[in-house]
Structure formats: structure tokens, C-alpha cells
């Protein structure tokens, strides 16, 4: 079968879907969680369609995966009230609990979450087209993230359990929660990246309103009971629906203390500008990126090509950390492009259950049309597609396109494509990619491929002041999760990692007194008799 024929027949018949992976029933979600109650919604719902279609006698047929509630401003207000009551200006049960008690609650949730792995992985495949091996990895990585966050919380507790005496002042410095946190995750990692904000927000004592992404929402249905049964009422609340109906009212109320949002800078700007008390409104934001790779003339293509393929096309390039534009030195451009085109031909395409598949159907409505417009625009300014069948579309599926030469007049030069289109820019002067990075609206990461230590060393000193992570002879990526993950300019605000996130969702607070005998006695009795959960020398093993 030719490549063209494989693309034309990419979608399966129902009998071609392995029984292990077939969804035997849809998820008709009517429940939503507020104040520890799974309430039943009788109003409008949103149908969820899979990006995967099935071949029938009458043509391609879309698969309905289920539906979820479209709540209103009223339910949003109820969620906010529940979260406020649970926090109670820091006097609620959850924020006032000792750290080890919050950890016990979290470990109970983790145990319940693990029992839903099969259902969540299946929906990651069918709802967003994520390959099975990557869906399993996302779930397992999320489990590890929770476990590592718990350990980081214990370490943070141990390091702050001692008293500090300085210039006649005795004190203890710990971290305190901020209040009510609104958490909103992205469609491409709807479980993992949602939880990289949700989990640290909870561990540090905040109460949470969680809005799952529009795409990748159903998988969270299987965690509603786990949230309900694991945490006190009002600590975790969920809302669904249109942002203008359920999110905007929360922001304009001024009662949200912190926003944790992963998505577009356009939406983030709207949300932040709507808060009436901006100086009291904290935010942790993971936004767009246009991460470049700089391929130097002495780059080892046996290393560079696999890293750039994985970096630009893994999960269809739908990662904020994907390599989204490649700068290749003229001296090796020909060899690089030939090898890259050949490597694309070896990339596995198909359905999420296919072994080692990389390119699958795209979940965002209209995405293939948008990507096709980017390619058409690039061609109008002189670019070509260098690989066979590059950019060929079959409904929600697009075969990867290697586009060359790309220049600043093309939309692909500056827009984040978030899909399987790889723009390549030739250069002679190293100042070309440097100027691009300096002038770009985005500043998350960059990859350098080469072997000359002097050249790489000089580049490092320039680039570390422009982006938040420089990768040498390796693709851009988020992990491991103990490393800081951040962005400059329009790529983000705040830093997320296991330990950084715990700090992001809390504030350093000190209890202090003049070092007198009387004050020492007060401190000692409070600690010895356990009169305070905050002022304590208890250490969590």
C-alpha cells in the first residue's frame, strides 16, 4: 500500500478496533461536584465527539463519546461559595489542618485515582487521540507527580520546623495558603498538566474550583467520586460549560485569590484583566511557545534528526514544549532536509492503539483546515513541502509537512502551529536565530545542536537571558518534574516544578517575637502542648 493510500484509509472499520481498546459505552455525565456533593444536572449538555471516525457502508461516521453538563452562572456562584466557606478566610478545616493530615487526605485520593487508570487512559485515547503508550505515560507520570509532591511537601515541612533566632528576634517561617484557587488545564495533557496546579494548590491548604478543558473533559468524570470521598466538603469543586458563563463571573467577583491556567495568552489576558483587585490576584500561567532549534554546521545529524523528529512531531506536535521552528545552517541544510524528510517517512501513523504510533487524528475542530491555511500562506511566499504527502489531510488527520525555506513574511514564522507542520529556516549568520528569539513574543525553551564547545558556550550566555531552558543536543521538554518549568514574555508566568509549585501556591509567613524569657516560654508551651498547627516542631518522616 502506498503512503497516499495509507492516509486515505487511515480510519478503521469497527471490526478493526481491538476489543481491548474499544469503548463499550458512552459517558453521559450529569454529575458535578460542589461542597462535597455530586449534584445531578438536568439542563443543557455538550455532546463529545471523538477525533477518530469509523468507516461504515455510508462513509465515515463520527463517534459520540458522551456528554457533560453546561452549567450556568448560578452553579458557578455555588461552587465559589462552597470554596469560600471551606477556606473561611484561612480558618476553615482544610487550611488550618496540619500538613501531615492534608498529606493523608491526598494519599487517600491517590489510591482511589489509581483504580480508575483503565478508564482514564481509554478516554485519553478516544477523546484527544493520544497514543496508548503516551496515555499510559501521562497517567503514570501524574501518579508520580502526586507522590513526588507529597515528598516535597514533607521536605518543605522539615526544613521549616526549626526556630530562627536573629538579632534578638525568635521566629518560625512556614508557608501559608493563599485562599480560593481557580484551576484550568489544557486539552493536550488534560490530566497531567491540570494536576500540576491542582495538587500543589490543595497540598498547601487552598480550596479549589476546577474547570476541566473542553476537550479532555470526560476522563475527569471518573475522578469525581474520588475527589468527593477524599477531601472535606468544599475543598474541591468542579464547574463545566462556557467560560463566559462559569468563569467570567468567578473572576469579576474578586473572590478568586489565584488563577492557575494553562492555555492561550489571549484568554489569560482576558481573565487577569477582569479581576477588580489585580494587586491581590496571583497567577501561575503556562501559555504558548514557539520553541526554536538551532542546528549548527557541525551538528551530528545522527543525534539531531531523531531529537528534532521527536521534538516537533511527538503527539502531532501538540505540546507547548514542542520544537516549532528549526533554524538550520546553510552548510548542512541539504543533508539535514533529506534525512529529516526520510525520517518523517519512517514515523508511524494511525490510530492511538497502534504500537509506537506518533501521528494520530487531531482533536481540535477545524485544526486541519487551519494548518492547511498556514501551509498555503507559506507557499505563497516561496516555501515548498519537501516530504512526500506532506500536509495531506483526511478529515481530522494530517500527515506531517516539512516546509522550507520559511521566512519572516510567512505566518509559520511567528504563529504557534501546534500541529504536525515543521517550518525550517536556513541561516548563515548565527545572529539570525538569536534575533528571532530576542524579537519573538514567546520565550520558553530552545534547543542547540552542535559539538563546538566555544560556539555552544557563547550561545548559552546569550540564550539563558532570553528563555527559561536551553537544551543541548536534545529536544525541548518539560521533565523531569523536579526541574523548574517556566516561560518568559507571553509564554508564561510563575514557575512550576514539584517544589516550585508548592511555593507558587503559598506565601511565606512568620511567627516572631522578641527573644525574652517570657516569649520563649510562650513558644515552648504552644509547641509542647500542641496549641497551634502552624507553630510546631513536628517533623513528618
Amino acid at each position: 500500500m502506498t503512503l497516499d493510500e495509507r492516509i486515505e484509509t487511515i480510519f478503521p472499520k469497527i471490526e478493526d478496533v481491538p476489543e481491548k481498546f474499544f469503548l463499550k459505552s458512552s459517558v453521559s455525565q450529569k454529575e458535578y461536584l460542589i461542597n462535597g456533593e455530586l449534584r445531578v444536572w438536568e439542563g443543557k449538555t455538550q455532546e463529545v465527539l471523538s477525533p477518530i471516525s469509523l468507516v461504515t457502508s455510508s462513509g465515515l461516521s463520527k463517534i459520540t463519546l458522551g456528554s457533560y453538563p453546561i452549567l450556568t452562572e448560578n452553579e458557578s456562584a455555588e461552587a465559589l461559595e462552597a470554596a469560600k466557606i471551606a477556606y473561611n478566610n484561612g480558618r476553615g478545616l482544610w487550611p488550618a489542618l496540619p500538613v501531615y493530615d492534608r498529606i493523608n487526605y491526598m494519599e487517600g485520593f491517590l489510591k482511589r485515582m489509581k483504580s480508575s487508570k483503565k478508564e482514564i487512559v481509554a478516554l485519553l485515547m478516544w477523546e484527544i487521540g493520544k497514543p496508548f503508550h503516551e496515555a499510559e505515560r501521562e497517567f503514570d507520570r501524574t501518579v508520580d507527580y502526586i507522590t513526588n509532591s507529597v515528598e516535597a511537601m514533607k521536605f518543605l515541612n522539615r526544613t521549616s520546623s526549626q526556630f530562627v533566632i536573629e538579632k534578638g528576634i525568635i521566629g518560625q517561617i512556614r508557608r501559608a495558603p493563599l485562599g480560593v484557587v481557580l484551576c484550568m488545564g489544557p486539552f493536550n495533557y488534560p490530566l497531567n498538566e491540570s494536576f500540576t496546579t491542582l495538587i500543589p494548590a490543595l497540598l498547601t491548604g487552598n480550596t479549589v474550583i476546577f474547570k476541566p478543558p473542553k476537550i479532555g473533559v470526560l476522563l475527569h468524570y471518573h475522578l469525581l467520586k474520588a475527589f468527593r470521598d477524599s477531601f472535606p466538603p468544599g475543598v474541591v469543586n468542579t464547574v463545566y460549560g462556557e467560560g463566559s458563563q462559569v468563569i467570567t463571573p468567578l473572576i469579576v467577583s474578586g473572590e478568586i485569590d489565584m488563577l492557575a491556567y494553562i492555555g492561550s495568552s489571549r484568554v489569560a489576558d482576558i481573565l487577569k484583566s477582569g479581576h477588580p483587585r489585580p494587586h491581590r490576584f496571583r497567577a501561575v500561567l503556562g501559555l504558548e511557545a514557539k520553541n526554536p532549534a538551532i542546528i549548527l554546521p557541525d551538528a551530528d545529524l545522527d543525534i539531531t534528526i531523531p531529537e528534532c523528529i521527536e521534538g516537533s512531531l511527538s503527539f502531532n506536535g501538540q505540546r507547548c514544549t514542542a520544537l516549532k521552528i528549526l533554524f538550520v545552517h546553510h552548510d548542512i541544510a541539504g543533508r539535514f532536509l533529506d534525512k529529516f524528510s526520510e525520517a518523517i517517512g519512517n514515523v508511524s501513523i494511525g490510530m492511538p492503539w497502534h504500537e509506537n504510533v506518533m501521528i494520530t487524528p487531531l482533536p481540535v475542530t477545524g485544526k486541519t483546515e487551519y494548518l492547511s491555511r498556514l501551509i498555503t500562506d507559506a507557499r505563497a511566499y516561496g516555501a515548498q513541502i519537501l516530504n512526500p504527502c506532506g500536509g495531506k489531510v483526511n478529515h481530522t488527520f494530517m500527515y506531517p509537512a516539512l516546509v522550507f525555506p520559511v521566512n519572516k513574511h510567512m505566518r509559520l514564522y511567528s504563529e504557534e502551529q501546534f500541529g504536525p507542520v515543521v517550518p525550517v529556516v536556513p541561516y548563515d549568520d548565527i545572529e539570525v536565530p538569536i534575533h528571532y528569539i530576542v524579537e519573538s513574543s514567546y520565550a520558553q525553551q530552545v534547543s542547540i545542536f552542535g559539538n563546538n564547545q566555544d560556539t555552544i558556550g557563547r550561545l548559552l550566555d546569550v540564550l539563558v537571558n532570553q528563555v527559561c531552558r536551553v537544551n543541548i543536543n536534545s529536544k525541548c521538554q518539560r521533565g523531569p518534574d523536579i526541574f523548574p518549568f517556566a516561560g518568559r514574555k507571553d509564554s508564561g508566568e510563575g514557575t512550576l516544578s514539584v517544589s516550585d509549585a508548592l511555593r507558587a501556591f503559598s506565601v511565606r509567613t512568620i511567627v516572631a517575637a522578641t527573644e525574652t524569657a517570657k516569649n520563649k516560654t510562650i513558644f515552648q508551651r504552644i509547641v509542647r502542648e500542641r496549641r497551634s498547627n502552624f507553630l510546631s516542631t513536628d517533623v513528618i518522616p
Side-chain angles (χ1 to χ4, degrees), residues 305-318:
I305 296 296
E307 287 291 324
C308 286
I309 285 285
E310 180 77 17
S312 59
L313 295 178
S314 176
F315 188 38
N316 302 300
Q318 296 172 122

Side-chain angles (χ1 to χ4, degrees), residues 209-226:
I209 300 171
F210 173 45
K211 182 183 183 297
K214 287 183 179 181
I215 305 173
V217 61
L218 291 181
L219 63 93
H220 295 284
Y221 171 71
H222 295 285
L223 297 175
L224 286 182
K225 289 183 180 178

Side-chain angles (χ1 to χ4, degrees), residues 122-142:
L123 281 168
L124 278 168
M125 293 171 57
W126 286 93
E127 202 171 350
I128 66 171
K130 179 158 287 191
F132 174 69
H133 63 279
E134 290 196 27
E136 281 202 314
R137 188 184 306 156
E138 179 170 350
F139 186 93
D140 293 341
R141 183 178 177 183
T142 306

Side-chain angles (χ1 to χ4, degrees), residues 55-76:
V55 176
T56 68
S57 57
S58 57
L60 283 181
S61 176
K62 293 183 177 181
I63 302 172
T64 300
L65 300 178
S67 59
Y68 62 87
I70 299 295
L71 304 181
T72 71
E73 186 174 344
N74 293 332
E75 291 72 40
S76 180

Side-chain angles (χ1 to χ4, degrees), residues 173 185 198 242 312 378 391 458:
I173 306 168
L198 181 67
E242 294 298 325
S312 59
R458 289 194 298 271

Side-chain angles (χ1 to χ4, degrees), residues 275-292:
H275 200 285
R277 302 171 182 175
H279 62 285
R280 294 174 55 178
F281 187 42
R282 287 200 179 191
V284 170
L285 308 174
L287 308 173
E288 303 102 325
K290 185 78 171 176
N291 296 325

Side-chain angles (χ1 to χ4, degrees), residues 446-497:
V446 63
S447 289
I448 304 171
F449 294 91
N451 288 299
N452 187 290
Q453 298 95 325
D454 291 338
T455 302
I456 293 174
R458 289 194 298 271
L459 271 176
L460 288 177
D461 289 346
V462 173
L463 296 177
V464 292
N465 293 327
Q466 298 297 324
V467 299
C468 290
R469 175 166 170 164
V470 181
N471 304 276
I472 300 175
N473 290 320
S474 58
K475 62 184 178 294
C476 295
Q477 56 193 303
R478 174 167 179 156
D481 286 324
I482 63 168
F483 284 9
F485 180 61
R488 300 188 186 194
K489 302 180 186 177
D490 291 341
S491 286
E493 183 176 331
T495 301
L496 290 175
S497 72

Side-chain angles (χ1 to χ4, degrees), residues 157-325:
N157 174 265
R158 287 194 292 270
T159 58
S160 58
S161 63
Q162 298 178 344
F163 286 96
V164 177
I165 300 176
E166 184 70 27
K167 295 183 178 180
I169 302 293
I170 182 171
Q172 188 176 65
I173 306 168
R174 290 186 178 273
R175 303 199 73 87
L178 297 169
V180 177
V181 178
L182 172 61
C183 291
M184 301 171 65
F187 83 85
N188 57 332
Y189 289 89
L191 179 68
N192 182 256
E193 292 208 8
S194 294
F195 276 39
T196 59
T197 61
L198 181 67
I199 297 305
L202 291 172
L203 279 173
T204 48
N206 304 282
T207 59
V208 167
I209 300 171
F210 173 45
K211 182 183 183 297
K214 287 183 179 181
I215 305 173
V217 61
L218 291 181
L219 63 93
H220 295 284
Y221 171 71
H222 295 285
L223 297 175
L224 286 182
K225 289 183 180 178
F227 281 127
R228 180 197 65 185
D229 297 340
S230 302
F231 299 104
V235 172
V236 179
N237 309 275
T238 61
V239 294
Y240 306 84
E242 294 298 325
S244 60
Q245 294 297 308
V246 296
I247 298 302
T248 301
L250 293 175
I251 299 295
V252 300
S253 73
E255 302 291 343
I256 298 294
D257 299 292
M258 184 170 183
L259 170 66
Y261 172 75
I262 301 175
S264 73
S265 57
R266 180 187 64 83
V267 173
D269 289 344
I270 293 171
L271 294 176
K272 288 189 68 176
S273 64
H275 200 285
R277 302 171 182 175
H279 62 285
R280 294 174 55 178
F281 187 42
R282 287 200 179 191
V284 170
L285 308 174
L287 308 173
E288 303 102 325
K290 185 78 171 176
N291 296 325
I294 302 174
I295 293 89
L296 299 171
D298 64 341
D300 184 340
L301 295 187
D302 290 337
I303 295 173
T304 304
I305 296 296
E307 287 291 324
C308 286
I309 285 285
E310 180 77 17
S312 59
L313 295 178
S314 176
F315 188 38
N316 302 300
Q318 296 172 122
R319 300 177 298 111
C320 65
T321 57
L323 290 173
K324 299 193 177 77
I325 188 165

